[in-house]
Amino acid sequence: MKFTLSWLKDHLDTEATLAEIADTLTDLGLEVEEVVDPAAKLAPFTLAKVLHAEKHPDADRLRVCKVLTDEGEKTIVCGAPNAREGITVVLAKPGDYVPGIDVTLGVGKIRGIESMGMMCSERELELSEEHNGIIELPSGEVGEKFTDWLAENRPEAIDPVIDISITPNRPDALGVRGIARDLAARGLGVLKPLEIEAVPGGFPSPVRPVIDPALKARGCPVFAGRLIRGVTNGESPDWLKQRLEAIGLRPISALVDITNFFTYDLNRPLHVFDAAKVKGDLSIRFAREGEEILALDGKTYALQPTMMVIADDNGVESIAGIMGGEASGCTAETTDVFLESAYWDPITIAAAGRALKITSDARYRFERGVDPAFTLDGLELATQMVLDLCGGEASDVVVDGAIPDTSRAYRLDPARVISLVGMDIPEAEQRRTLTALGFTFTGDMAHVPSWRPDVLGEADLVEEVARIASLTKLKGIPMPRETSGVPGVILSPMQVREKTARRTIAALGYNECVTYSFIDAASAALFGGGAEATRIENPISSEMTHMRPDLLPGLLQAAARNQARGFADLALFEVGPAFAGGEPGEQALQATGLLVGASAPRDPWGSRRPVDVYDAKADAEAVLAAIGAPARVQINRKLDAWWHPGRAGNIALGPNVLATFGEVHPKVLREMGVKGPAVAFTIRLENAPFPKVKTPTRPALVLSDLHAVERDFAFVVDTTVEAMTAVNAAYGADKALIAGVSVFDQFTGPKAEEQMGAGKKSLALSVRLQPRDKTLTDAEIEAVSAKIIDKVSKATGGTLRK
């Protein structure tokens, strides 16, 4: 929405500056997108007077002028034919930027004579296209600013243009008067009264509107018009042409320009028909199958039966509320016109405009909603302007239908307004604000003006009061605390655990991925999902039909995409929910990491090797330790189908699985398009028990001043026995005294079987005994050693190696 400052002041009596108006408009919600101020680019130029002018000695078309400026007498070489003694000119000094030629002046030397500036033409100052000579001013004093002279003599030349963005809920701001009303409500001036006087009709109108009964309820509730005969459709006066040109509209003729003026001035789109080209009455109806119209934009449009049209006995003359037809358009020969003002249903207009792909000022306003109560008033004002500019005689007003009733009222609760807005706005100020915006009051009930279709409840009253009061005045006030002292924790224990897991995995060198919770059915089936319970009713694509049963498929798909782009070594992780069903409780929080390729880049020391199951195991144990999971766990092989059956395991506390680690099944890798090796781990964050002591501080460190004792044991066991079984058994021999158990050697292979028997291996354990109250005797050490041997032998079926 564009308008000029002088246009705004036709409706608003204000002394505010351009900057104040622009800032206030944005603060009111009418965002200013651009301000074009011609005076800004003309600010450096001043007036000067030519004292003497003579022909240049070395050029026939140049003249050497002595010019009196505010800095004294200057020599300027000029090529304008009208450069002569005694004229007042516009001077550009060295250092000034001349917009019309995009040049910053300097001191020049023209044919041997130094020139100290330039006398400008209108085109060089972008005032017009005139460039046959320099500007000659009929008045003005030397040194006077050119902008001051223009403000007094040609104010339209420096009239600023303001371009604002209008949101769809503010159709009232599509007219200059609506914008002025908002500024007046803010206190930036006083809204001038709009005087409306009915123009008496001198004769009955021979053209009458007839609305199809089906359209009166919704479509075209009211259609008004009148015939004006004896008009002269000539050129518009300068003030009207300048207004339209300033906002980017091309003046066409007085009649057309008047309708364009009212569209922008009062948000009242109108249309004029050449009455001589109208046959019979004007019928407002739906278009008929096969009807076409040659519109004013020169294009022919095929109409659909859902589109409203204005037709006469000859056929369709206008696309209702969107664009008139060429056949009944006004020309220079037009002497009789029918001036139309109607209210059209916004939804019907919007649907027709989109279907026809027509963008017009009328459609833009009608589909947002114009003021229905202003239909007849707009017709009277436009009639008076037609008579003033084009002459003629007006007929009686003819109307079909009735203005729709938009009356509604909502209760204003001043206390509620203060509570919601957060500012202390007195009740009197709230009422004054709404009254200035056009609301009227009956007790506490605020009646909404007809030009505000967006106000549909008490909340909208609050919004209007807050908008005018300016939310920039809000002061940040901390909310009162519910309790005193040290603030309590904000995050839940599970949120803390999730955050810890995410930070730990990232610290291990993994890159975090965020994938969709939806995957395709085939991938879901590979990971135990794809059932009807997890199928999406309205998937956004065929590759996102099911909720993911695990985080691995998303990571594997990301790995496949990266490998296709040349990235072979990957370390990816994700923390998020996996879904076993469609009910609220059938989801679990997981932290999953994926390693693909090699463990290190190539180097001279042979550090590079393929990732293996122990990389995944070590990372899984690091995450479990970080989230506070117990250190003593079991490893079992009750694996899901997507893990390698011999190179994976579960870290568990009895039946409670805390994590799974290992190689991804080769079949799954082939199906997902990933080139191995690929190992992964999945932490089930909700399965790890929380510490029994829930204090934010760690317990005190307990140190013993007694020497620890270490003893080594080697057991001959079956090759199928897991080392963890022996370690856990050794721990159980004396939980108070044994501080640590570790495997320091494993002897396997043909030589081991040759010494110990087929299917046998040797496991060597180091056990650390830490006394607390006294030094251990040899007898006590031997007793504990015997318990360790007994426990391990029973748990593994092995014997002490000799």
Side-chain angles (χ1 to χ4, degrees):
M1 172 66 187
K2 290 184 178 181
F3 57 93
T4 64
L5 182 60
S6 64
W7 197 341
L8 177 68
K9 289 185 176 182
D10 283 350
H11 296 279
L12 183 69
D13 187 3
T14 180
E15 296 298 327
T17 64
L18 178 62
E20 290 174 335
I21 291 173
D23 291 343
T24 304
L25 285 172
T26 298
D27 191 38
L28 287 168
L30 307 176
E31 183 179 359
V32 176
E33 293 188 337
E34 183 183 22
V35 176
V36 179
D37 186 5
K41 61 185 177 183
L42 299 178
F45 305 111
T46 56
L47 304 192
K49 189 168 186 177
V50 180
L51 300 177
H52 177 72
E54 62 182 21
K55 176 181 171 298
H56 193 290
D58 295 330
D60 293 337
R61 297 187 178 182
L62 298 179
R63 299 180 70 78
V64 180
C65 303
K66 298 296 182 180
V67 181
L68 181 61
T69 73
D70 57 343
E71 297 176 354
E73 188 175 315
K74 304 287 185 181
T75 299
I76 298 177
V77 179
C78 180
N82 63 331
R84 64 187 187 277
E85 181 179 325
I87 63 174
T88 301
V89 297
V90 180
L91 175 68
K93 301 175 183 177
D96 291 346
Y97 174 74
V98 183
I101 57 176
D102 192 23
V103 168
T104 299
L105 290 182
V107 177
K109 206 165 198 178
I110 304 175
R111 296 289 182 95
I113 297 180
E114 194 172 60
S115 181
M116 301 297 294
M118 173 182 178
M119 296 180 287
C120 303
S121 68
E122 290 209 355
R123 188 170 74 173
E124 288 162 344
L125 299 184
E126 295 185 342
L127 294 174
S128 71
E129 291 302 313
E130 177 60 44
H131 64 286
N132 291 327
I134 58 176
I135 299 173
E136 296 184 35
L137 300 180
S139 61
E141 300 295 329
V142 172
E144 181 182 355
K145 284 189 169 295
F146 183 45
T147 51
D148 294 340
W149 187 92
L150 288 172
E152 185 176 349
N153 298 275
R154 288 176 58 188
E156 72 281 354
I158 56 171
D159 197 4
V161 177
I162 304 171
D163 186 5
I164 63 175
S165 177
I166 305 297
T167 53
N169 67 317
R170 289 297 309 277
D172 61 300
L174 289 172
V176 179
R177 185 166 184 82
I179 299 168
R181 184 184 295 110
D182 267 17
L183 291 170
R186 172 59 69 86
L188 216 64
V190 178
L191 186 68
K192 296 180 180 179
L194 182 64
E195 297 180 0
I196 303 172
E197 294 184 6
V199 178
F203 58 94
S205 173
V207 180
R208 303 186 65 83
V210 179
I211 303 175
D212 186 332
L215 291 176
K216 285 187 177 180
R218 183 174 181 178
C220 181
V222 62
F223 187 104
R226 72 193 322 167
L227 190 88
I228 306 175
R229 64 188 180 192
V231 299
T232 303
N233 189 22
E235 200 173 297
S236 296
D238 289 341
W239 70 267
L240 181 53
K241 289 193 294 184
Q242 288 162 0
R243 287 269 170 94
L244 299 180
E245 287 172 345
I247 62 174
L249 296 180
R250 179 175 60 88
I252 298 173
S253 65
L255 290 171
V256 177
D257 294 348
I258 288 170
T259 61
N260 287 334
F261 173 79
F262 276 92
T263 298
Y264 279 83
D265 187 57
L266 297 170
N267 190 30
R268 179 63 255 179
L270 305 163
H271 186 63
V272 283
F273 297 88
D274 189 331
K277 301 174 183 177
V278 175
K279 184 179 180 182
D281 292 332
L282 291 177
S283 175
I284 297 89
R285 58 175 174 81
F286 282 118
R288 294 166 185 158
E289 196 69 43
E291 283 188 320
E292 293 182 341
I293 183 174
L294 176 61
L296 287 172
D297 61 359
K299 298 179 182 179
T300 300
Y301 295 95
L303 303 174
Q304 301 173 11
T306 56
M307 301 173 181
M308 293 186 295
V309 298
I310 303 173
D312 62 0
D313 295 346
N314 293 324
V316 178
E317 298 292 352
S318 174
I319 308 172
I322 298 176
M323 186 173 288
E326 185 74 32
S328 58
C330 295
T331 65
E333 291 74 32
T334 299
T335 57
D336 298 342
V337 296
F338 185 81
L339 179 61
E340 165 259 305
S341 178
Y343 178 76
W344 308 99
D345 173 57
I347 295 176
T348 309
I349 296 300
R354 290 171 190 168
L356 295 173
K357 297 180 181 179
I358 297 178
T359 301
S360 66
D361 290 331
R363 174 202 160 184
Y364 186 76
R365 284 158 173 78
F366 279 125
E367 69 183 3
R368 283 159 175 76
V370 301
D371 181 6
F374 196 69
T375 303
L376 295 176
D377 291 340
L379 179 64
E380 296 290 355
L381 290 172
T383 300
Q384 187 61 58
M385 185 174 285
V386 170
L387 297 178
D388 292 341
L389 301 185
C390 303
E393 182 184 8
S395 74
D396 297 331
V397 175
V398 287
V399 182
D400 192 15
I403 294 174
D405 182 13
T406 60
S407 61
R408 56 198 185 280
Y410 306 104
R411 179 175 175 269
L412 176 67
D413 185 349
R416 179 65 170 161
V417 172
I418 295 172
S419 172
L420 290 176
V421 176
M423 291 190 293
D424 187 11
I425 307 173
E427 179 180 354
E429 179 63 19
Q430 295 181 30
R431 286 176 168 264
R432 186 207 66 78
T433 293
L434 293 175
T435 302
L437 291 173
F439 293 77
T440 56
F441 280 89
T442 304
D444 290 339
M445 300 302 291
H447 297 266
V448 182
S450 56
W451 58 80
R452 291 300 300 270
D454 59 308
V455 178
L456 297 171
E458 293 181 12
D460 292 324
L461 299 181
V462 177
E463 181 183 356
E464 290 303 297
V465 172
R467 188 172 63 87
I468 300 302
S470 181
L471 294 178
T472 59
K473 296 179 181 178
L474 277 174
K475 295 181 180 179
I477 301 175
M479 296 181 67
R481 290 179 52 187
E482 294 183 358
T483 58
S484 59
V486 179
V489 295
I490 298 174
L491 299 179
S492 68
M494 185 54 64
Q495 288 173 322
V496 173
R497 173 171 288 183
E498 179 183 349
K499 176 183 176 182
T500 303
R502 179 176 281 108
R503 292 177 63 89
T504 302
I505 302 174
L508 291 170
Y510 289 74
N511 295 304
E512 185 173 12
C513 295
V514 180
T515 64
Y516 283 104
S517 296
F518 321 124
I519 59 175
D520 59 282
S523 298
L526 286 174
F527 292 84
E532 186 67 19
T534 57
R535 186 176 66 84
I536 307 298
E537 286 291 341
N538 55 340
I540 58 179
S541 77
S542 60
E543 297 179 349
M544 298 183 182
T545 57
H546 287 74
M547 302 297 291
R548 62 187 179 192
D550 198 90
L551 299 186
L552 259 180
L555 293 178
L556 289 170
Q557 289 173 350
R561 288 192 296 271
N562 279 274
Q563 285 185 336
R565 288 159 177 79
F567 297 96
D569 300 337
L570 301 167
L572 309 176
F573 85 95
E574 182 171 9
V575 179
F579 302 88
E583 297 301 320
E586 296 178 328
Q587 68 180 54
L589 186 64
Q590 296 183 355
T592 299
L594 174 66
L595 294 170
V596 181
S599 62
R602 292 184 295 177
D603 59 34
W605 304 281
S607 303
R608 184 177 175 85
R609 61 171 177 79
V611 294
D612 58 29
V613 62
Y614 297 105
D615 293 313
K617 182 174 184 289
D619 291 342
E621 289 175 337
V623 178
L624 288 173
I627 65 175
R632 298 180 183 180
V633 293
Q634 298 87 43
I635 305 293
N636 66 56
R637 300 287 180 83
K638 298 177 182 179
L639 300 166
D640 293 312
W642 54 90
W643 296 101
H644 193 297
R647 301 176 185 172
N650 291 324
I651 301 175
L653 291 172
N656 181 24
V657 177
L658 306 182
T660 304
F661 65 90
E663 291 187 14
V664 182
H665 200 291
K667 177 184 175 182
V668 173
L669 294 181
R670 287 195 301 272
E671 292 290 338
M672 303 294 288
V674 177
K675 299 174 183 178
V679 298
F681 65 85
T682 295
I683 311 294
R684 293 165 175 81
L685 295 174
E686 295 168 334
N687 289 7
F690 285 98
K692 294 181 180 179
V693 179
K694 299 181 179 180
T695 60
T697 59
R698 294 182 179 182
L701 177 64
V702 178
L703 296 176
S704 175
D705 57 353
L706 302 175
H707 285 289
V709 177
E710 291 193 6
R711 288 291 184 268
D712 296 339
F713 304 86
F715 295 92
V716 177
V717 297
D718 292 340
T719 54
T720 57
V721 173
E722 297 172 344
M724 182 63 73
T725 304
V727 170
N728 288 335
Y731 266 119
D734 192 327
K735 295 180 179 180
L737 191 59
I738 297 175
V741 180
S742 61
V743 178
F744 69 89
D745 184 49
Q746 181 176 249
F747 182 33
T748 61
K751 289 186 178 181
E753 292 187 1
E754 182 180 336
Q755 295 182 19
M756 294 173 288
K760 298 294 184 178
K761 66 178 179 180
S762 172
L763 282 177
L765 305 180
S766 176
V767 180
R768 182 182 180 86
L769 307 178
Q770 179 60 64
R772 302 294 179 185
D773 51 0
K774 67 173 184 174
T775 303
L776 295 175
T777 65
D778 289 342
E780 290 171 335
I781 295 173
E782 289 300 327
V784 174
S785 299
K787 288 182 181 180
I788 293 172
I789 295 170
D790 182 59
K791 287 281 187 179
V792 175
S793 298
K794 288 181 180 180
T796 62
T799 60
L800 187 68
R801 185 180 176 188
K802 298 180 180 179

